[in-house]
Amino acid sequence: MPLFSKFRSKSSQSVVKGKTQDIPNGANETLKKPTYQSTWSSPHVVLEEVQELIHLCTAELRLRAEALDSPFLLLPFRLDGDSTYARSFIANFFKHNASNSSQYRGASLQQEIRLTEAPILCSVLKWCWSRIPGGVVSWPVYEGFRLGEQEMRNERNAFEKMLPVVANSAARENVIRDFFELLAAVAAHGKLNGLGGRKLSRLAGWWAFELSDDGKGFEGGYRSWTVAADAASHLFFAHLRSLSPEANPSLSLIERIPRSLQALLAQTEYPPETPTLMQRATPRVLMIVDAVSPTPFALLRRAKHFEYRDHDRVLRELSEFEDPIDALTDECRRVLYAVASTNSSANVRSRQGQYNNSDESWSAFSNLGFSDIGSPAPQNAANGHAKGAGIKQTPQSRSATSGRPTTPSWADFLNSGFAEDENKNGSGALLLPPDKLLPQIGSRAQTPSSNFGKSHGDDGLAPGELAAITNVDLDDVFWWVWMTSLAGEEPNERKSVFGRCALIETTIMNGRWLIMEEQVKGASPDPIAGADIVEKKSRFGFTKRGRLGNRKASSKKPEPVGVELNRATSATPSKQGVGADQQARIRAAAAAMSPSLSQARDDAAQRRGRNEYAASTKTNSVLTLGLQSEAGPAMKWANS
C-alpha cells in the first residue's frame, strides 16, 4: 500500500503541476478558433476561414488567360454561369474543414480549384466578398489610407506602403491585395471581356464597402453606392500606381504592368473624379402600393396605370403598350427573367412542397432521375411500399399537369413499353418549377418572362395610388451593380440596398432607361422636393390634370436628383471613423516611409529657423526708423 500511495501521490502532483503550468498559457486557448460553420445562406463569414480560399481562387483565375478573356466574367446571370456548382463547392469546403479534413486545405484545395471551371470560381469569390464583415476593404481602412496618402503627398507607392499600416489584420491585408490584383488582371483584358478599368473599378465598390439605404430606398442606396464607387476607384488606381512606381514607366527595362493598364493610368487623372460623361438623365417613377410586387414584371405592369404628363415622353410611350414587357430589349428581358427566377422560384417551390432539398445539384438528378428529383417518398396506398422503392405498377412520368410529355424512367418503360398513356388527363407529378414549365404541344408558345409574370397573378395586384417622377443622373455602371445586387451569391440583407426597384432598358427613343420603384404605404419617406406627382388613370378614361398642378410637392423648378446626390458624395458614410491615436500612428508611419517628405520637413524647419533669426536681428521700431534718416551720414562715416 505505501508503494501504490507513493505512485498515486506522484501522479496527482504531476496533474496539479500540469494544471498550474497551463494557467499562464491560458490566454492562447481563449483565442477563437475557426469553426467553419458557414453555409450558402449565411449572411457573414469569418475572414480568416476564407482567406486561403480567396487567395487560391484569385491566383488560379489570374493564370487562365481564356477565363480573363471571357465576356463580362464577374457579372451574374451569364449564359454559362450557374451558382448551383458553386453552392456545392462551398458546402464541401466548410464540411471538410469543420471535420478537420485536409481535402480542402493547402495543396489539396489548390488541386480542387484547378479542376474547377472559371465561372464557378468567380461565383465562389463573389460569395466570399459579399459576406466579409464591412466589405472587402471597409470604410476605416480606406479613411486611413486616404489620410496616409495625403501625408505622403500622393507618392506612387503609397498603396503598397500604407496598406500594412491601415489594415487591421494580416488576413484583411491579403484579401484586399488579392481583390485589386484580380481587378487589375481583368481590366488588362478589358478590350476582350468588356470590363474596362474605369467601369470595373466603380463596380468594385459594391463588394469593397458596406452599403445601406438609410431607409430611403433607391435614393439612399444609390447615394451610398456612388460614394463607395469613388472610393473603390481611388484605391484601384492607387494600386496600379504602386505597380509602376517610376515616374516615367517607359524608362524601366522590365514592364511591371501591361501596356493597356499603363495607357489607362496615363488617361485618368489622380485621384480619379466622378466621371460625369458616364452619367445620363434617367426618369425614376416611385409608386406607393399596399403590397409589394412578386416579380419585376409585375412591377412594370403596375406602372402602366398612370396618366403621365406630355413632357414625360418615354413614360407615355411605355404606358401605350398593351404589355410593358414588350417594350424591353431582349437582353433586359433575359436578365429580368433570371432575376425573377433566382429570387422567386425557390420560394414558390417551398410553398408548393415540390422540393425538400434546397441544394439542387447534378448529383441529386443523377441519383433520382426526372420523376423523383428532390421529392419525398410517399407511401403507396395499394401495396404500402414507398414510391420509388421498387418497380412502379403504372408509369408515373409520362404526363404532367402541363400536358407536355416527359422522359419516362426505366421502370416506366419496363411496365408500359411504347404504349400510349392510359390516363392522358391524369394529374401527374409536377416535375418543373412554374418558371420553367413548357407549353403544351400545339399551343401558342409564349415568352418565358410573360409566363413567369402571369403565373403569379399580376392581374390581381392593385395598382399604385400615387407616383412621384424625378430625374436621376444615373451612372452607366449601375446596370451592372443592380443586377449584381440581386445575384444568387448575395445574402438577403444586401439585396434590399436599392429598395424595391427595377432598372429597365427599353426600345423607346433609341434605348432609353427607366427606374421603377415601389414603396409600401405608410413606410415610404416624404416625396422629393420638385417631384411631379401624378394620379392613376380613371376607369372611364377621364384624367385629373386640372388638379395635378396643385399637387406638386414644391412650386420651384424641379431639380434632378443627381445634383443632390453629387453634393452628398463629399461625406463618406463611415460609421466607424479613424480615431486620433490611429491618425497619429498613420502620420508617423507616412513620415517614416517617405524620405522625401522628411527631407522637405527638415528643409522647411531650417528655413523657418533662419527667418526667425533674421527677424530677431532686424529692428522695426519707430525710434530706430526715425533716427536712421537723420544719422545716416554719421553712421556711414563710422562704418568707413
Side-chain angles (χ1 to χ4, degrees):
M1 291 299 293
L3 180 63
F4 291 104
S5 62
K6 185 183 296 184
F7 288 150
R8 184 175 57 187
S9 62
K10 288 183 178 180
S11 62
S12 61
Q13 290 177 2
S14 63
V15 173
V16 174
K17 289 182 180 179
K19 290 183 179 179
T20 56
Q21 290 175 359
D22 292 342
I23 290 175
N25 298 330
N28 296 332
E29 307 225 349
T30 58
L31 297 178
K32 186 177 180 181
K33 296 182 180 180
T35 56
Y36 294 96
Q37 299 298 321
S38 301
T39 60
W40 181 265
S41 58
S42 298
H44 303 287
V45 295
V46 180
L47 185 59
E48 288 73 15
E49 295 179 357
V50 297
Q51 172 190 353
E52 183 182 15
L53 177 62
I54 293 176
H55 177 71
L56 294 179
C57 289
T58 302
E60 182 64 25
L61 285 176
R62 293 178 60 194
L63 294 177
R64 299 186 185 183
E66 70 281 359
L68 298 177
D69 294 340
S70 301
F72 306 107
L73 176 64
L74 296 178
L75 296 186
F77 310 123
R78 299 169 64 241
L79 297 178
D80 57 347
D82 188 3
S83 61
T84 303
Y85 304 99
R87 187 191 300 258
S88 301
F89 188 95
I90 291 295
N92 293 330
F93 173 79
F94 283 98
K95 181 179 67 175
H96 286 83
N97 282 278
S99 60
N100 294 326
S101 175
S102 60
Q103 182 176 356
Y104 279 80
R105 293 181 182 177
S108 300
L109 177 59
Q110 187 176 10
Q111 184 65 22
E112 290 286 342
I113 292 176
R114 287 177 179 175
L115 299 176
T116 307
E117 297 180 357
I120 303 176
L121 296 180
C122 290
S123 183
V124 170
L125 280 177
K126 290 185 291 185
W127 183 88
C128 296
W129 292 342
S130 61
R131 284 162 175 80
I132 296 178
V136 176
V137 179
S138 76
W139 288 112
V141 173
Y142 171 71
E143 287 296 325
F145 164 76
R146 190 170 61 87
L147 177 62
E149 188 184 36
Q150 291 177 357
E151 292 293 327
M152 297 180 67
R153 298 185 178 181
N154 292 338
E155 288 190 6
R156 294 185 67 89
N157 56 353
F159 182 88
E160 190 70 22
K161 291 184 178 181
M162 292 306 304
L163 184 59
V165 179
V166 299
N168 51 11
S169 64
R172 185 173 290 273
E173 177 187 351
N174 296 332
V175 170
I176 293 175
R177 205 179 297 275
D178 292 336
F179 180 69
F180 286 104
E181 285 180 357
L182 179 61
L183 294 181
V186 175
H189 297 251
K191 292 185 177 180
L192 297 177
N193 57 33
L195 298 175
R198 201 67 193 271
K199 289 187 176 181
L200 181 62
S201 63
R202 299 184 64 80
L203 170 64
W206 170 255
W207 298 297
F209 302 99
E210 182 179 0
L211 307 182
S212 175
D213 62 345
D214 295 332
K216 298 181 180 179
F218 169 80
E219 180 186 1
Y222 184 77
R223 180 187 295 112
S224 178
W225 170 77
T226 53
V227 180
D230 293 339
S233 182
H234 181 194
L235 289 172
F236 174 76
F237 283 96
H239 173 68
L240 293 184
R241 282 162 53 93
S242 66
L243 295 179
S244 179
E246 294 84 3
N248 189 2
S250 61
L251 299 179
S252 59
L253 299 179
I254 302 177
E255 298 179 358
R256 301 182 61 181
I257 60 176
R259 288 286 186 178
S260 58
L261 296 182
Q262 293 183 13
L264 179 64
L265 271 176
Q267 297 170 2
T268 307
E269 70 282 353
Y270 189 83
E273 300 177 356
T274 303
T276 56
L277 297 178
M278 295 172 54
Q279 297 177 352
R280 65 181 71 183
T282 305
R284 170 200 170 203
V285 178
L286 175 61
M287 294 176 286
I288 310 299
V289 297
D290 295 329
V292 296
S293 304
T295 63
F297 304 109
L299 177 59
L300 295 183
R301 294 188 177 103
R302 272 181 162 177
K304 180 185 176 182
H305 301 284
F306 296 97
E307 185 68 25
Y308 298 104
R309 296 176 178 272
D310 295 335
H311 61 269
D312 297 327
R313 179 182 172 185
V314 181
L315 296 175
R316 289 186 63 87
E317 293 188 13
L318 179 67
S319 62
E320 293 176 357
F321 281 86
E322 182 179 356
D323 190 355
I325 311 302
D326 298 334
L328 304 179
T329 60
D330 296 337
E331 179 65 14
C332 181
R333 189 184 298 111
R334 185 192 67 83
V335 172
L336 289 184
Y337 171 72
V339 168
S341 177
T342 301
N343 295 277
S344 300
S345 60
N347 298 330
V348 172
R349 291 194 295 267
S350 61
R351 289 196 303 265
Q352 296 182 355
Q354 297 173 19
Y355 299 105
N356 288 343
N357 185 11
S358 59
D359 188 7
E360 305 160 13
S361 61
W362 175 256
S363 60
F365 168 75
S366 60
N367 293 330
L368 301 176
F370 284 99
S371 58
D372 295 331
I373 178 170
S375 61
Q379 297 292 330
N380 195 331
N383 52 17
H385 294 288
K387 181 179 177 181
I391 298 179
K392 302 179 178 67
Q393 299 296 331
T394 58
Q396 298 291 334
S397 59
R398 293 302 299 272
S399 65
T401 53
S402 61
R404 186 99 178 187
T406 58
T407 303
S409 64
W410 182 248
D412 294 334
F413 177 75
L414 291 178
N415 285 312
S416 59
F418 294 100
E420 295 293 333
D421 294 339
E422 296 179 1
N423 187 11
K424 293 184 179 180
N425 298 326
S427 59
L430 187 60
L431 307 180
L432 295 174
D435 56 325
K436 294 181 175 60
L437 286 178
L438 295 177
Q440 299 182 7
I441 295 179
S443 62
R444 183 177 179 269
Q446 298 178 347
T447 60
S449 59
S450 60
N451 283 338
F452 187 86
K454 294 180 180 179
S455 64
H456 288 273
D458 295 350
D459 298 335
L461 293 175
E465 295 293 337
L466 182 67
I469 304 175
T470 56
N471 287 327
V472 179
D473 292 336
L474 192 68
D475 199 306
D476 290 343
V477 192
F478 187 71
W479 168 244
W480 294 352
V481 178
W482 180 78
M483 72 167 71
T484 303
S485 67
L486 298 175
E489 300 87 1
E490 297 293 331
N492 295 330
E493 291 78 2
R494 288 169 57 88
K495 290 183 179 181
S496 59
V497 169
F498 301 110
R500 300 280 304 186
C501 71
L503 179 61
I504 60 174
E505 182 185 12
T506 65
T507 58
I508 304 172
M509 298 176 59
N510 298 324
R512 292 294 302 273
W513 291 82
L514 295 173
I515 303 173
M516 301 295 179
E517 182 184 6
E518 61 181 4
Q519 294 179 358
V520 180
K521 183 183 299 184
S524 60
D526 296 334
I528 304 174
D532 293 337
I533 301 178
V534 300
E535 297 287 349
K536 60 182 179 181
K537 293 180 181 179
S538 174
R539 179 177 301 179
F540 302 100
F542 299 103
T543 60
K544 303 178 182 180
R545 294 191 180 185
R547 292 183 291 173
L548 290 179
N550 299 328
R551 297 205 46 172
K552 282 192 175 182
S554 177
S555 58
K556 61 182 180 180
K557 184 179 179 180
E559 183 182 4
V561 180
V563 177
E564 182 182 358
L565 298 183
N566 292 334
R567 290 197 300 263
T569 55
S570 58
T572 303
S574 175
K575 298 181 181 179
Q576 190 177 11
V578 182
D581 297 339
Q582 188 175 2
Q583 290 182 8
R585 182 171 58 87
I586 292 174
R587 289 191 175 95
M593 290 184 295
S594 179
S596 59
L597 181 61
S598 302
Q599 184 66 27
R601 289 183 176 180
D602 295 341
D603 296 342
Q606 293 178 3
R607 289 194 300 270
R608 185 170 60 253
R610 288 196 300 268
N611 293 336
E612 291 177 356
Y613 175 77
S616 62
T617 56
K618 293 181 179 180
T619 305
N620 295 327
S621 63
V622 178
L623 179 62
T624 305
L625 292 177
L627 295 176
Q628 186 175 4
S629 58
E630 298 179 359
M635 294 177 62
K636 186 182 297 185
W637 173 81
N639 292 331
S640 60

